[in-house]
Structures are given as structure tokens and as C-alpha cells.
Amino acid sequence: MNQNFTSTTLTDSRQAEATTVSRVIPTYVYATVFASLCIAVGLQWDISWHMSVGRDGLFSPPHILIYLGAVIAGLFSGIKVLRTSFWGSKEEKSQSIKFWGIFHGSLGAMFCVWGAFAMLTSAPFDDWWHNTYGLDVKILSPPHALLGLGMMMIQFGAMISVIAAQNKLGEKMDARTKSHLQWMYALSAGFLLVMVYTLVSEYFFLNMLHGVLTYQVAALMFPLFLISISFASPYKFGATKMALIYTFAMAAMVWIMPLFPAEPKLSPVFNYITRFQPFHFPILLIVPAVAIDYAIERWRHTNKWLLAGMLSLIFVIFFTPAQWYFSEILISETGRGWFFGRFSWPYFANPDYEFRFQFHPDSTSHGWDLIKGLLIAVGIGTLTSRVGLSWGNWMKQVKR
């Protein structure tokens, strides 16, 4: 009897804890993080779809998943904004941001609503664009630029929603709520990093990974996000967890996509395929992320410009050799196996391209050119690291 009583008590206690967490963390926060996941997965799937099938209409499965993310984020965030604006108490309104003199809501919810409008507006715009001008020559056509902006706004809104909840609760959180928010912060930041990488992925093609331009672009983009996330995180290893989520999300798509059949539907077909071709295997951002977390933990209160220079140097020193030598594995026979997925090749590309499994000589750096280029990368990274520190400091103070 005592055992049954104890079991019942434990079950009731766990249910009470779960209810408490759900009440403390608003539902729209969970919804926006899930929407960010839909966008990240849908984007990778869409790239694989274009590599394997070609353009296949507005309502292709990956497009539906991406727009589902927009609908979920917009719907849940919109309901939250409308409820606060028209039925919220004075206290709720005082704890929110006023917009257009009518609407009240959290900053994250506002970003998600704007992002959803941008994404859903881009859908018919993109369909009209293709019907009028044909296939895109470049990735960033006007409708794609609008779509990309909307996706980033939703993902940024999801991350801001989580960190605002963290900052607002502060030390009041119990262990279970803290654990939920910690991983939601890592997930939302990691999905945003997937999007950021995709935007600059044309500089990370396999045969370019021995060129200094790749590492200059990396120094321009990634310290900004790794440093801001680490600096704003109330938990240890914020950047490391962000990089882990990015790594797993990208790698999972590499492992899963080839399991499904696909064949080209749009000519010309130079490389006939029967399976989905995966996108890039993740770059080794986990290596500099660990080093950045340790550095920020130790020197957080150092002069910000000095700290930015140190963090930039750390990023270049840790990321460059790690990715440089890892790229040699990727381009070898080992990299062409199922794990790394570098057999991947679009149906519209010549499979006999001479630099498919070689580093392109025009994108290979040696000697002084390499050293000079990496010094420039440190300079670029110092500026973006300083912005990242300011951004992280701002995020630490967001409570609305």
C-alpha cells in the first residue's frame, strides 16, 4: 500500500511540475521554437529537392514545411499579441512593447508576426516571378530575399522569446523550467545558425575549403552569432550547445535524405540520380565554439575591444586548422561514404567535373597569401566579435 501511495504521489508531483512549467513558459514560445525547426529542416530539404528533382511548383513538400513554420509562428504569436492588446490587463500591457499605438506584445512575438507576413507574402510573389521570368539565375531573387528575411525574423523571434522568458524569470525558475529554457535557447539558436550557414554556403563548397576566402567569410559571419549567444546565455557553454544543435541538424539531413528515392524532373540532366542528394555536411563550428565559451567565461569583464580581438584570434586559430584538415577527409574516398555524404552531386552538374574531388587551384591559398589572408580574417572577426558582444549584452537585458 505504501508503494502504491508513493508511486501515486510521484506521478502527481511530476504532473504538477509539468503544469507549472507550461504556465511559466508561454505556449507561443514553444510554438515559435517548433516553427524555427520547421524552417531549418524545410530549408535543407528544399535545397536537396532542387539538387535532386528541380523546381517542382509552389506546393512542393519542403515548401509546405517551410510555410507551415510561418503559419505556426504567425498564428500563435499573433494570438498572443491580440490577446494582450485587447484583453490584457494593465500589468500585462506594461510588460510588453507597444506597436502602432494599438498593439501590445513581446518583442519576440512581434518579430515572428512580421516574419510570418513576409514569408507568406513571398509565396505568391515567388510563383508569379517564376511564371514571368522563368527559373532563377541567382539564389537571392527579390521573392527569395523577402522569404529569407522572413525566415530569419521568425528564427530570431523564437530565440528572443526564449531569452526574454529566461531574463524575466531570473532566479525564480525551478530546475525543471531552467532545463526547458536552456535547451529551447540552444535549439532556437542552433536553428538560426543553420539558416546563417545556408546563406553563405556557396563559400563552403568542398573544393574551396583550402582557400583563405572561406575563412574570411567564416570570420565575418560566425563569431557574431557564437559570441552573442555565449555572452547572453545565463548558462555555461551557450555557444557550444548552439553549435551542437547546428551540427546535428545538418548531419541528420545528410544521413536521412539519401534514404528516399528521387529523380530529376527538369532538364538538362547531366548526372542521373535515383536518391535524394544531401546538402553539406556541417562545418566544424563546434571547435571554436568550445574555445569561445571558455574565453568568455574567464574574461567576460575585460575591455570589450580587447576581448573582441582575443575572441577573433581564438576563432581563427581553432576553426581554420580544424576545418582545413577536416576538408581533406571530406574530399577523400572516406568522405564519399554515407556518413559524410560527399558523394552528393546535383543532377544538373557534370559528374566528371575535374575538381569534384580536388581542391580548385583558383580557390587554394599557400604561403604568405594564406598568412596575410588569415590576418585579414582576424581583423574582420574583431569587428564582428565586437558587434557580437554588444548584441549579447543587449539580449541579456531583454525582458519583454
Side-chain angles (χ1 to χ4, degrees):
M1 176 145 182
N2 288 336
Q3 288 181 345
N4 290 337
F5 177 75
T6 303
S7 177
T8 303
T9 303
L10 286 173
T11 302
D12 292 343
S13 176
R14 286 171 184 163
Q15 289 176 346
E17 284 182 4
T19 303
T20 301
V21 171
S22 66
R23 286 176 180 171
V24 170
I25 305 174
T27 304
Y28 83 93
V29 177
Y30 286 103
T32 55
V33 174
F34 179 70
S36 186
L37 169 63
C38 291
I39 290 170
V41 173
L43 182 62
Q44 300 302 304
W45 187 8
D46 190 44
I47 293 172
S48 181
W49 192 278
H50 281 270
M51 291 172 62
S52 312
V53 177
R55 184 174 183 270
D56 193 26
L58 178 62
F59 296 106
S60 64
H63 285 181
I64 291 174
L65 183 59
I66 291 172
Y67 293 125
L68 176 63
V71 170
I72 290 173
L75 184 62
F76 278 85
S77 298
I79 290 173
K80 171 68 175 175
V81 170
L82 291 175
R83 193 192 70 79
T84 305
S85 301
F86 300 107
W87 296 282
S89 65
K90 288 184 178 180
E91 183 181 357
E92 287 178 312
K93 290 181 180 179
S94 67
Q95 295 175 354
S96 62
I97 293 172
K98 193 173 184 179
F99 183 70
W100 283 351
I102 302 174
F103 299 106
H104 292 78
S106 69
L107 183 62
M110 293 290 190
F111 270 112
C112 287
V113 170
W114 297 333
F117 272 119
M119 286 182 65
L120 297 176
T121 301
S122 74
F125 183 24
D126 188 47
D127 195 48
W128 170 83
W129 184 272
H130 284 296
N131 290 333
T132 305
Y133 298 106
L135 296 178
D136 293 316
V137 177
K138 296 182 178 181
I139 293 176
L140 290 180
S141 63
H144 286 180
L146 180 61
L147 175 64
L149 178 63
M151 289 192 289
M152 289 196 71
M153 289 177 74
I154 286 177
Q155 293 185 305
F156 180 66
M159 187 177 70
I160 289 296
S161 295
V162 174
I163 200 166
Q166 288 178 161
N167 295 340
K168 188 175 180 180
L169 292 171
E171 297 300 324
K172 301 176 185 176
M173 287 185 287
D174 56 48
R176 188 180 179 88
T177 304
K178 185 179 290 187
S179 177
H180 275 232
L181 286 172
Q182 179 178 358
W183 282 108
M184 287 171 68
Y185 182 57
L187 287 167
S188 59
F191 299 149
L192 177 61
L193 191 57
V194 170
M195 179 69 188
V196 171
Y197 172 78
T198 304
L199 290 176
V200 295
S201 59
E202 62 183 289
Y203 296 99
F204 292 85
F205 288 131
L206 189 55
N207 59 13
M208 298 175 64
L209 293 180
H210 270 195
V212 75
L213 179 61
T214 292
Y215 300 94
Q216 290 173 347
V217 172
L220 175 66
M221 297 300 295
F222 300 122
L224 173 65
F225 293 91
L226 293 174
I227 291 168
S228 61
I229 294 304
S230 179
F231 198 81
S233 175
Y235 319 106
K236 291 184 178 180
F237 303 110
T240 302
K241 290 174 181 175
M242 175 194 198
L244 277 173
I245 298 300
Y246 154 82
T247 300
F248 181 76
M250 294 283 295
M253 296 301 289
V254 169
W255 301 328
I256 292 171
M257 293 311 302
L259 299 177
F260 297 93
E263 59 181 21
K265 293 184 178 180
L266 191 68
S267 62
V269 178
F270 295 113
N271 178 40
Y272 186 74
I273 56 174
T274 58
R275 296 278 165 180
F276 273 105
Q277 303 298 289
F279 194 42
H280 297 180
F281 194 81
I283 59 176
L284 297 183
L285 291 175
I286 187 67
V287 177
V290 174
I292 285 170
D293 276 329
Y294 272 111
I296 288 179
E297 180 70 20
R298 183 169 183 179
W299 296 301
R300 175 181 294 269
H301 302 294
T302 304
N303 174 275
K304 292 299 182 285
W305 276 107
L306 178 60
L307 181 57
M310 292 167 57
L311 292 171
S312 175
L313 187 62
I314 286 170
F315 177 83
V316 172
I317 286 175
F318 279 85
F319 177 68
T320 303
Q323 190 61 42
W324 187 282
Y325 291 110
F326 183 55
S327 67
E328 295 179 357
I329 297 174
L330 293 178
I331 211 164
S332 68
E333 290 282 351
T334 303
R336 299 170 215 174
W338 71 270
F339 188 85
F340 297 115
R342 291 302 81 215
F343 58 83
S344 180
W345 200 245
Y347 74 87
F348 48 80
N350 181 2
D352 298 322
Y353 177 55
E354 60 180 317
F355 297 114
R356 179 177 177 181
F357 297 115
Q358 295 181 44
F359 296 112
H360 199 291
D362 293 340
S363 300
T364 303
S365 303
H366 304 281
W368 173 243
D369 286 339
L370 176 60
I371 295 172
K372 181 177 67 175
L374 292 178
L375 289 174
I376 292 172
V378 172
I380 294 170
T382 299
L383 297 176
T384 55
S385 297
R386 184 64 184 88
V387 175
L389 289 170
S390 296
W391 185 16
N393 188 58
W394 173 79
M395 286 197 293
K396 283 178 64 177
Q397 301 172 53
V398 174
K399 294 184 179 180
R400 296 186 179 189

